[in-house]
Every structure is written in structure tokens, then in C-alpha cells.
């Protein structure tokens, strides 16, 4: 049996051996290319495969070609396992062997939003053609392609004809929410779903050199079939950022132009406001926080893309444009894979000793580049529904002009890299996520005192309506205090000398854009656990004041200066309680500590 130890070189291997094998077999049947038509091809380019049709297609492909392997890669919320299909011309499928031989890895993720099915179909055609040796002369010896056929399996099983209200085909498709109605493209950090945990394990194991997440976009109308969202250069940082901007992106944009699929940077309408509701005067790059696939990939020095085909363009053109883009990245890797791997290595090395880390960002409105944008004139006409003015893109008035594209982000807040964080072992949910993401940790062998910086949560706000299963926190203010704390044997020491430094900092610094604090992991410290009875505490407070002249003077002054305080007995007792040793130290104490 091949490949039953796919994960064996990771510390998680033991959990996976035994569930890996789906349909691999030792002898392959002789390939019959004609029998590998996709649903897209047999339906006159109008339909997309159901989950079962897609899996059956790859099962057959795996049986027929020894350069294809389909694997099971852990659980999803749907109850079905996540699949990964790999193509390797030399039939090398062990990741350590792939890396050792200098081959690059492309990972393609499909159906994160199953209604956006273009990539599902494009990937099937791509893998079939690669398997059959039809790759238009592109040398595939050193490129390994890995495809997740359906990431959101629960959503793919939930087929309908209506939920993509503005989309021009296919006839039927899956639903955006997963089996528990999570949007998986917000779950890469908080990992509420089994899908996200399985994905992270898979991603860390493959350590892909390029990553593509396929989508279909809502938003403004323009001439392009496909827009491309890519890793934000300033967030990617290091030597990789320059390589993306100067070599990779120009190659891909040119390839698409040469193949009749000219594309534009993702037309992000989030930054647009009322007086400029269209992209026709320019637009800003999307802030891809780590909760999103490309933002997550960037934390680990993998350049990520979201292909966003335009909802109003016919389905067949969208599938074909996505297919062309997948091929553009393969050609790039074939020609430049080794160079990209080198740049990733340099980037991984650089982050180990990088001292300042941005944790929040904002668009730099003073820096832009002019790009050619092929749009449609926007007009405001009378609405036949509301009687008010409505936005209308006039397709009879196409234009091509230079517009500003704001693609630089500047640091809003940053932190210095600590020597380490210490995580008390009780926070096993945090430890689990660090382990899944292959963060190196050590456990204290004995109880040990450390001089640490402790954060006190001074204030925060919380969203009023639920977002992805959470009421997240924002505008968090903290204060810092140097403390000596004795940690217990078994607590976790997380050194910040690793390639995963950015992931560690962006999750553990409470003010970071997608921190675990923001996503409610530490809400228990935001609630006071012990209280007091006023009539008993009166006597304690009296003693406290007589033994502590400094506190007494502050207390008296406060009463003089604040009449409301002077009138409020409860507030006064509360003040003294908070300044007494009875007040609990854990309240508002961020439970992860920095060793500077
Ligand atoms: Zn999408």
C-alpha cells in the first residue's frame, strides 16, 4: 500500500495513520482519457459536479494513473473526510522526499464557498490533463500539484439553485455556510470547525510554495472575467514580498493577457465610500487578515491567491479563466520554482530575528501605483423598484483608463519580538492550535520563576451582533507590568526564534487584528469571579484604611474631588476593595506572558 504514512514525519502522524487511505491501489488500470470527461464538459459547460460526482471522478483518476494519489486528510464538520488529490510526475508523494528533491508544491483549494464552483471544475480538467501528460510542453518534473476538490463539504452537499442571487451559472451549486453554517474563509485562525483544523494540518505538512483559493466575486461591474486577490506585500514582508511584486505578479498578469484572459487586481469595494461607490476612480487593495486563506498563508511565507471570477460573466468563461490562471502558476513554478523556494527560505530565516512586528495596519493613502483599468461607465438612473436613483454600469460604454491602486499598507500598531511567551498549561485550546500549526514549544521541567511582562486589559469593546459564531472584541487597550511569576512544571515556553514567529505574534498579542483575544478565547478573564458582602467588608475596609495612610489620603482626596463618589457608599467600598489584597489578580489579567 502506498503512502499510508503521509503524515508520519510530523508529530501528528500518529493520529492520521490508518485513516489516510481512500482509494490508492498498487496496480493501475490502463487510462482511457475519453472516459474522464468532467460534468462541466458533458453538460455543455452549464453545470458543476456534485460532491459525489467530483469524488468519483478523482477516485477513477487515482485508479487509472500512478502519478495521481487521492488521500483522506482528517475530519470536517460534515462527517466526511477532507480529500487531497496530488499529482507528481515522478510519482514522489512523500512531502519530505518532494522537498529534498527541490520540487515546488502548488496547493489549490476549491469550494470553500461551494456556490462559487469555477475552481472545482477547472481543477478537475487540470489534474486530468496533467495525469494524461497533456501539459503543453510545460516541464512538470519539478512541480507537484495538490488539489482540495471540496473544502466545504457540508456546503457542497447543500445544493440549490437560488442562493447565488446575482451569479450567472452554473445551474445548481452548493451553499456558502458549512455544515454548521460557518464561513470557512473567516476560520483560519480561530479554527471553530473541524475543516479548519484539518486544513491547517494539511497546509503545515505540505508547506506549499504557492497557494490558490478559488472564488467567484460579488461587487462592481467591469470588463475583466477574473480579478486576482494576492498576499498583501507589506504583510508578506521580507525578500518574498519583493519577489512577488517584481517577478511573480508581472509573469502571471502577462500570461493571462497572452491567453485571452486579461485580469485585474481584485476590485475591492470595501474601502470605497458613498461619494465614490464605484472602482472607476481607483480602489484599495484588500486587507487580507489572517482569518482569510491568503492572510493565513502569508503568515507562513507562502504567497497566496484568491481567484475571483466575476459573478455576471457567463459560467463557462469563468471556469476557463480560472483554468488559465491555474496553468499560469504551474508554468511559473516550472520555470522559477527553485528561485521561489530560495526566496521563501530567506524569508523564513529573516523572520527568526526580525525585531518589530506590525499587528494592525492601514492603507497608506499617500502611496499608490497607476494601473490600467477596463471598466464600464457608471450611471445613476431612476429605479423602477424604489423610485430612487440606482447605480447602473452601462456596458455600452466600456472604457480603459489609468486609475490609482492603493496597494501599500502602513503599520498602525507594532510590538517588539519577545524572547518567548509563556502559556500556562490550562490553556489547552491555545496549545492545540499552536501544535496544529507546528509551532515549537517546550514544557517547563520544574516549577520556575520568570521575570515577565504581564498585560492588563484596560478596556475593550465588543461587537453587538454575532460574527462567525463570535462577539469579537476590538479597540482593546492594555497596560504593561513587569512581574516575577512562578510557572508550574508542564507550562509551555514558546521561543520566538522560529519561522512561525508571525503566526505566534499575530495570535498571542491581544491587540492584533485576528488575535485569539479578539476571537473570545480569553473571555473568562474578563469576568470577576469573587465578590464581597458590603456589611462585612465595611469592617475590613476600616482596618485597611487605618493600616494604609497612603490609601487613606487618596481615598479622602477622591471624596473631596468627586461629589458623586462621596455620595455613593457602594462605589467607595468598591474602590477600597479594588485596592485591597482581596481583589482577584486574574480579573482582566491577560493570561499569556512575555519573557523580554
Ligand atoms: Zn468566495
Amino acid at each position: 500500500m502506498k503512502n499510508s504514512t503521509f503524515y508520519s514525519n510530523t508529530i501528528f502522524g500518529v493520529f492520521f495513520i490508518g485513516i489516510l487511505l481512500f482509494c490508492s491501489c498498487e496496480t493501475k488500470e490502463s487510462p482511457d482519457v475519453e472516459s474522464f470527461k468532467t460534468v462541466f464538459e458533458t453538460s455543455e459547460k452549464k453545470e458543476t459536479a456534485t460532491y459525489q460526482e467530483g469524488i468519483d471522478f478523482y477516485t477513477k483518476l487515482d485508479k487509472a494513473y500512478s502519478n495521481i494519489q487521492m488521500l483522506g486528510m482528517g475530519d470536517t464538520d460534515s462527517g466526511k473526510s477532507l480529500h487531497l488529490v496530488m499529482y507528481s510526475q515522478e510519482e514522489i508523494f512523500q512531502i519530505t522526499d518532494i522537498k529534498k528533491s527541490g520540487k515546488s508544491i502548488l496547493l489549490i483549494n476549491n469550494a470553500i464557498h461551494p456556490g462559487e464552483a469555477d475552481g472545482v471544475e477547472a481543477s478537475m480538467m487540470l489534474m486530468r490533463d496533467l495525469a494524461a501528460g497533456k501539459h503543453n510542453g510545460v516541464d512538470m518534473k519539478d512541480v507537484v500539484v495538490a488539489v482540495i476538490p471540496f473544502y466545504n463539504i457540508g456546503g457542497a452537499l447543500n445544493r440549490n439553485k437560488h442562493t447565488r442571487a446575482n451569479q450567472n451559472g452554473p445551474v445548481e451549486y452548493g451553499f456558502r455556510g458549512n455544515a454548521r453554517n460557518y464561513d470557512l474563509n473567516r476560520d483560519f485562525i480561530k479554527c471553530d470547525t473541524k475543516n479548519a483544523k484539518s486544513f491547517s494540518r494539511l497546509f503545515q505538512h505540505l508547506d506549499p510554495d504557492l497557494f490558490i483559493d478559488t472564488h467567484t466575486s460579488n461587487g462592481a461591474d467591469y470588463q475583466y472575467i477574473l480579478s486576482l486577490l494576492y498576499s498583501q506585500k507589506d504583510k508578506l514582508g521580507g525578500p518574498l514580498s519583493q519577489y512577488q511584486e517584481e517577478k511573480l505578479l508581472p509573469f502571471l498578469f502577462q500570461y493571462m493577457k497572452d491567453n485571452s484572459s486579461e485580469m485585474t487586481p481584485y476590485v475591492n469595494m470595501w474601502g470605497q465610500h458613498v461619494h465614490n461607490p464605484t472602482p472607476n476612480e481607483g480602489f484599495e487593495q484588500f486587507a487580507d487578515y489572517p482569518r482569510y486563506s491568503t492572510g493565513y498563508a502569508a503568515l507562513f511565507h507562502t504567497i497566496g491567491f484568491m481567484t475571483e471570477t466575476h459573478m455576471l460573466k457567463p459560467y463557462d468563461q469563468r471556469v476557463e479563466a480560472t483554468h488559465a490562471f491555474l496553468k499560469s502558476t504551474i508554468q511559473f513554478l516550472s520555470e522559477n520554482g527553485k528561485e521561489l523556494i530560495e526566496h521563501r527560505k530567506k524569508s523564513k530565516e529573516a523572520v527568526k530575528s526580525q525585531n518589530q512586528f506590525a499587528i494592525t495596519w492601514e492603507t497608506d493613502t499617500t502611496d499608490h501605483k497607476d494601473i490600467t483599468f477596463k471598466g464600464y461607465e457608471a450611471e445613476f438612473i431612476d429605479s423602477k423598484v424604489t423610485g430612487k436613483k440606482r447605480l447602473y454600469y452601462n456596458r455600452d460604454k466600456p472604457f480603459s483608463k489609468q486609475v490609482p491602486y492603493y496597494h501599500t499598507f502602513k503599520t498602525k500598531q507594532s510590538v517588539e519580538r519577545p524572547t518567548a511567551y509563556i502559556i500556562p498549561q490550562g490553556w489547552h485550546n491555545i496549545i492545540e492550535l499552536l501544535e496544529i500549526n507546528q509551532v515549537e514549544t517546550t514544557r517547563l521541567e520544574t516549577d520556575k520563576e520568570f521575570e515577565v511582562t504581564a498585560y492588563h486589559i484596560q478596556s475593550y469593546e465588543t461587537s453587538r451582533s454575532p460574527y462567525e459564531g463570535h462577539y469579537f472584541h476590538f479597540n482593546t487597550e492594555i497596560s504593561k507590568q513587569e512581574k516575577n511569576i512562578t510557572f508550574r512544571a508542564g507550562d509551555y515556553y514558546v521561543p520566538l526564534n522560529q519561522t512561525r514567529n508571525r503566526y505566534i505574534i499575530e495570535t498571542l498579542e491581544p491587540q492584533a487584528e485576528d488575535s485569539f483575544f479578539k476571537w473570545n478565547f480569553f473571555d473568562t478573564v474578563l469576568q470577576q469571579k469573587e465578590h464581597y458582602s458590603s456589611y462585612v467588608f465595611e469592617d475590613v475596609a476600616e482596618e485597611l484604611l487605618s493600616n494604609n495612610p497612603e490609601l487613606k489620603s487618596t481615598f479622602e482626596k477622591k471624596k473631596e474631588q468627586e461629589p458623586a463618589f462621596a455620595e455613593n457608599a457602594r462605589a467607595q467600598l468598591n474602590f477600597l476593595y479594588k485596592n485591597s489584597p482581596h481583589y482577584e489578580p486574574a480579573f482582566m489579567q491577560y493570561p499569556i506572558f512575555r519573557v523580554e
Side-chain angles (χ1 to χ4, degrees), residues 112-113 116 176 215-216 308:
I112 190 169
H113 297 148
E116 306 165 19
R176 187 181 183 93
H215 291 255
T216 302
E308 295 276 4

Side-chain angles (χ1 to χ4, degrees), residues 190-391:
K190 59 190 176 63
C191 282
D192 286 320
T193 63
K194 288 183 178 176
N195 306 55
K197 286 183 181 173
S198 294
F199 179 91
S200 296
R201 286 193 181 97
L202 177 162
F203 186 92
Q204 296 301 335
H205 186 62
L206 292 184
D207 183 26
D209 300 297
L210 288 182
F211 168 70
I212 304 171
D213 191 22
T214 61
H215 291 255
T216 302
S217 188
N218 294 321
D221 197 8
Y222 40 79
Q223 297 177 45
Y224 305 94
I225 296 166
L226 192 145
S227 67
L228 188 66
L229 195 156
Y230 44 84
S231 300
Q232 210 291 316
K233 64 181 167 62
D234 307 290
K235 295 181 177 184
L236 193 61
L240 205 50
S241 158
Q242 199 183 356
Y243 189 73
Q244 168 183 280
E245 294 296 304
E246 291 172 11
K247 182 131 189 195
L248 174 60
L249 290 176
F251 179 98
L252 300 177
F253 275 82
Q254 191 59 45
Y255 179 102
M256 292 296 276
K257 202 171 176 181
D258 295 346
N259 286 275
S260 320
S261 292
E262 188 176 8
M263 60 181 181
T264 173
Y266 177 61
V267 181
N268 170 33
M269 297 304 292
W270 292 106
Q272 308 287 6
H273 23 74
V274 222
H275 58 272
N276 185 21
T278 77
N280 296 357
E281 306 307 321
F283 49 94
E284 296 172 6
Q285 190 173 1
F286 184 73
D288 58 340
Y289 300 142
R291 76 187 72 160
Y292 304 110
S293 60
T294 50
Y296 172 80
L299 297 179
F300 305 100
H301 321 282
T302 296
I303 295 174
F305 299 104
M306 283 189 223
T307 52
E308 295 276 4
T309 52
H310 195 279
M311 64 188 171
L312 294 174
K313 301 293 184 289
Y315 170 57
D316 59 333
Q317 292 179 17
R318 294 185 347 241
V319 172
E320 276 151 16
T322 306
H323 191 209
F325 182 77
L326 301 183
K327 290 198 285 189
S328 75
T329 56
I330 285 172
Q331 180 151 351
F332 181 85
L333 287 177
S334 169
E335 292 172 15
N336 307 286
K338 293 209 165 28
E339 201 176 66
L340 173 60
I341 290 171
E342 258 332 288
H343 279 80
R344 291 192 67 222
K345 267 189 196 149
K346 278 186 208 157
S347 214
K348 287 179 178 182
E349 213 42 54
V351 82
K352 291 182 187 174
S353 55
Q354 181 180 327
N355 279 327
Q356 284 291 326
F357 283 81
I359 52 169
T360 55
W361 304 82
E362 61 191 338
T363 306
D364 186 347
T365 51
T366 64
D367 187 17
H368 71 267
K369 67 175 176 183
D370 287 325
I371 59 167
T372 304
F373 184 66
K374 295 182 173 175
Y376 296 119
E377 289 299 343
E379 295 168 2
F380 287 88
I381 59 172
D382 294 328
S383 163
K384 288 177 182 149
V385 179
T386 65
K388 307 286 181 198
K389 291 285 179 200
R390 55 155 286 195
L391 175 62

Side-chain angles (χ1 to χ4, degrees), residues 38-41 43-49 115-122 124 159 167-173 216 225 309-322:
T38 61
V39 168
F40 175 70
E41 289 162 330
S43 66
E44 295 177 338
K45 305 185 176 183
K46 288 187 169 58
E47 294 179 28
T48 185
E116 306 165 19
D118 310 352
V120 171
E121 295 299 326
M124 286 198 283
R159 297 262 286 199
Q167 191 171 290
N168 190 356
V171 180
E172 257 188 23
Y173 38 74
T216 302
I225 296 166
T309 52
H310 195 279
M311 64 188 171
L312 294 174
K313 301 293 184 289
Y315 170 57
D316 59 333
Q317 292 179 17
R318 294 185 347 241
V319 172
E320 276 151 16
T322 306

